[in-house]
């Protein structure tokens, strides 16, 4: 078929994330959420699924779910219903997982993902709350079920609050999928919803992928399960798209299956599809009332929502007139951003940005100090900028002052006085400028006749005479005034 050969292959990708919520206790019981502790030391009748034990919803988990939803521009439902998702597996003692089905807590949001080709808006289909399963540990050399001598179950993880986030199939490439995952992780961390530590399994990702039909409609998708590194998400998708393309090019059709990407061999393997052909027989959880979220409660949570990294950057550009670059540097560290805002409230915001993203950050980086542990306070920086603005300290002397303040935590004005770093007084400076002019009559004459190049030489002479304790700009202006009349 001629048409078939000329077609382009456009990827369609949708992601599903599972995120551990940053609560201290489990989703439906009071057991502590732990990591790496002795197996089966944090369990109770509820998370072990003993008959008759009743679940109680973790309020904090609900709040974190709402926070995440708001951060992802979702609609928060006024009513959400927990449902039983029934299946049998050794890590699920009740024989069902409490999840949410047709009435999830959040729906219909989006995420603007920065990519190399510009921002991509990825729709968020839904966000729901559920509980994690326990952990099966396969004993033997491989660590996998295949070839193991036996399997054990650690119920410490069972019942950990989990949030599932599902995106729309809006992602156009494996690179964009990786960027989406990274951006989501940043947001979850900024909001404090999850530590999202992938090595601890706090963030896991499934990727659904297909190739668009020539008429623009969706093709059949396959699903890459349970990837715990975004690099593998990208690489797995590249491999799977190659596989699908190969099938289509040879005239075949893609079958809907579930796959596993093996980073070691860089190959995708089909999981036995029977194993995943579930009918979960969802029904509403009879032991829990529907969640009711009042408008007022949601607004109250929204007010506590910290500003997101992207929002803060935009605001800094708008409110303080900063470049995207400076705004990016300052907002990359929330503590530095807060420090900056206290300074910018008192003095010229651009000066504040120069000092903080430039000199101060250099001092922090050199010494490996966090702003929160630094001896420099916003008040110090405000005072320093005022000293420069009032012409009491030259810009270069102020740098030295900042260095000393950084070491000692002393007030800038004290440092200036103690170390004699103050600018020479105006009349004294005027006298020095006159002296330099009369000592260099030839150069002065050339400036008078319009040769601006020698002006720098005269400025240098004045600075030398003041031992650097004068502002270069002021000296230059003074010279020009005197040599133009
Ligand atoms: P399923 O019923 O198989 O779970 P869903 O419609 O719930 O499928 O979608 C699951 C995920 O698959 C979502 O992230 C969605 O964006 C994505 N998805 C749906 N259709 C496609 C497609 N044709 N190609 C790629 N991803 C898709
Ligand atoms: Zn428990
Ligand atoms: Mg689904």
């Amino acid at each position: 078929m001629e048409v078939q050969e000329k077609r382009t292959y456009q990827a369609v990708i949708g992601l599903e994330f599972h995120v551990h919520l940053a609560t201290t206790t489990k989703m439906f019981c009071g057991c502590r959420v732990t990591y790496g502790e002795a197996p089966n030391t944090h369990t109770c009748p509820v998370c072990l699924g003993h008959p008759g034990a009743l679940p109680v919803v973790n309020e904090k988990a609900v709040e974190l779910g709402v926070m995440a939803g708001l951060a992802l521009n979702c609609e928060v439902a006024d009513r959400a219903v927990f449902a039983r998702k029934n299946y049998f597996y050794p890590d699920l003692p009740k024989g069902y997982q409490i999840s949410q089905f047709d009435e999830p807590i959040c729906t219909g949001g989006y995420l603007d993902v920065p990519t190399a080709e510009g921002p991509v808006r990825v729709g968020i289909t839904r966000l729901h709350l559920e509980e994690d399963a326990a952990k099966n540990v396969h004993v033997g050399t491989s660590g996998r079920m295949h070839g193991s001598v036996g399997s054990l179950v650690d119920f410490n993880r069972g019942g950990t609050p989990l949030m599932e986030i599902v995106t729309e199939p809006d992602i156009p490439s494996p690179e964009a999928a990786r960027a989406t995952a990274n951006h989501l992780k940043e947001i979850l961390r900024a909001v404090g919803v999850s530590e999202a530590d992938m090595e601890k399994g706090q963030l896991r990702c499934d990727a659904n992928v297909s190739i668009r039909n020539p008429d623009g409609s969706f093709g059949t998708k396959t699903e890459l399960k349970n990837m715990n590194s975004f690099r593998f998400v990208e690489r797995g998708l590249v491999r799977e798209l190659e596989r699908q393309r190969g099938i289509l090019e040879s005239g075949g059709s893609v079958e809907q299956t579930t796959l596993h990407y093996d980073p070691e061999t860089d190959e995708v393997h089909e999981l036995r599809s029977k194993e995943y052909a579930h009918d979960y027989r969802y029904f509403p959880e009879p032991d829990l009332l529907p969640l009711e979220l009042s408008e007022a409660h949601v607004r109250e949570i929204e007010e506590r929502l910290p500003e997101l990294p992207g929002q803060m950057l935009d605001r800094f550009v708008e409110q303080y007139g900063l470049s995207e670059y400076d705004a990016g540097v300052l907002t990359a560290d929330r503590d530095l951003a807060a420090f900056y805002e206290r300074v910018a409230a008192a003095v010229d915001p651009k000066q504040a940005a120069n000092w903080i993203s430039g000199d101060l950050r250099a001092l922090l980086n050199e010494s490996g100090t966090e702003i929160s542990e630094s001896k420099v306070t916003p008040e110090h920086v405000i005072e320093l900028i005022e000293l420069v603005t009032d012409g009491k300290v030259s810009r270069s002397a102020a740098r030295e002052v900042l260095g000393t303040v950084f070491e000692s935590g002393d007030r800038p004005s004290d440092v200036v006085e103690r170390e004699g770093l103050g600018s020479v007084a105006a009349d004294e400076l005027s006298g020095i400028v006159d002296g330099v002019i009369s000592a260099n009559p030839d150069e002065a004459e050339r400036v008078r006749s319009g040769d601006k190049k020698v002006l720098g030489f005269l400025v240098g002479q004045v600075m030398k005479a003041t031992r650097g304790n004068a502002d270069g700009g002021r000296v230059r202006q003074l010279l020009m005034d005197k040599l133009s009349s």
Side-chain angles (χ1 to χ4, degrees), residues 129-438:
L129 299 175
E130 57 190 29
E131 55 179 339
D132 205 353
K135 195 173 174 174
N136 291 332
V137 184
H138 306 296
V139 185
T141 44
S142 71
R144 293 173 170 248
M145 189 165 16
H146 181 78
S148 68
V149 295
S151 296
L152 303 169
V153 189
D154 176 6
F155 287 95
N156 284 354
R157 193 180 73 180
T160 299
L162 204 60
M163 171 171 71
E164 178 171 329
I165 300 172
V166 181
T167 81
E168 290 288 304
D170 289 343
I171 304 165
S173 67
E175 305 84 70
R178 182 175 178 177
T180 302
N182 272 324
H183 192 59
L184 177 77
K185 180 170 147 184
E186 263 179 51
I187 288 177
L188 296 174
R189 283 190 171 166
V191 177
V193 160
S194 174
E195 285 175 45
D197 185 337
M198 300 195 75
E199 293 197 347
K200 292 185 184 171
Q202 293 173 338
L203 178 56
R204 313 192 289 262
C205 178
D206 302 338
N208 297 268
V209 55
S210 66
I211 289 172
R212 213 177 269 280
N213 294 322
D215 67 2
S217 62
F218 282 156
T220 303
K221 74 173 164 77
T222 59
E223 184 172 10
L224 286 168
K225 272 278 185 209
N226 242 328
M227 288 172 288
N228 59 1
S229 143
F230 296 156
R231 205 155 43 90
F232 298 160
V233 170
E234 180 176 348
R235 277 172 41 193
L237 282 168
V238 168
R239 276 283 161 276
E240 173 53 10
L241 280 162
E242 280 171 5
R243 191 188 68 92
Q244 290 189 13
R245 185 178 170 152
I247 293 171
L248 295 173
E249 277 179 346
S250 63
S253 53
V254 174
E255 268 185 63
Q256 181 157 350
T257 48
T258 303
L259 305 153
H260 167 72
Y261 172 68
D262 183 348
E264 270 173 33
T265 58
D266 194 27
E267 280 169 6
V268 289
H269 303 283
E270 202 168 329
L271 292 169
R272 268 184 302 130
S273 45
K274 226 174 31 186
E275 203 178 343
Y276 281 85
H278 285 302
D279 171 8
Y280 294 119
R281 294 153 28 244
Y282 279 101
F283 62 86
E285 167 61 62
D287 290 339
L288 291 167
L289 288 169
L291 280 178
E292 306 221 339
L293 290 151
S294 73
E295 177 84 23
H297 188 195
V298 173
R299 291 289 85 82
E300 189 261 320
I301 293 172
E302 189 166 31
E303 266 158 35
R304 280 188 282 130
L305 200 66
E307 192 173 29
L308 303 174
Q311 290 172 334
M312 194 188 271
L313 193 153
D314 290 347
R315 181 169 63 79
F316 275 26
V317 169
E318 171 93 357
Q319 181 177 344
Y320 300 119
L322 303 185
S323 66
E324 294 257 339
Y325 178 79
D326 276 346
V329 167
L330 292 168
T331 56
D333 176 341
R334 294 186 94 68
D335 292 332
L336 196 67
F339 187 103
Y340 168 75
E341 294 214 81
R342 283 172 61 190
V343 178
V347 294
D348 174 45
K350 285 192 190 161
Q351 291 274 348
N354 288 341
W355 279 102
I356 294 168
S357 72
D359 299 276
L360 179 57
R361 204 167 56 94
L363 288 167
L364 293 168
N365 288 345
E366 276 163 27
S367 59
T369 317
E370 297 290 329
I371 187 70
S372 54
E373 338 161 318
S374 159
K375 290 180 182 155
V376 178
T377 65
E379 290 67 36
H380 288 149
V381 178
I382 292 166
E383 195 185 322
L384 192 69
I385 292 173
E386 282 171 350
L387 287 170
V388 175
T389 315
D390 298 346
K392 292 191 179 132
V393 177
S394 69
R395 169 92 209 183
S396 61
R399 278 214 181 89
E400 214 179 309
V401 174
L402 183 65
T404 309
V405 174
F406 188 79
E407 296 293 331
S408 65
D410 293 341
R411 284 187 51 187
S413 53
D414 292 345
V415 175
V416 169
E417 200 170 319
R418 192 173 68 221
E419 307 198 352
L421 288 167
S423 297
V424 292
D427 49 349
E428 195 189 333
L429 186 61
S430 179
I432 293 172
V433 170
D434 289 341
V436 166
I437 289 174
S438 47

Side-chain angles (χ1 to χ4, degrees), residues 26 29-31 42-48 158:
K26 294 188 183 181
C29 64
C31 290
H42 296 280
T43 60
C44 74
V46 174
C47 57
L48 289 175

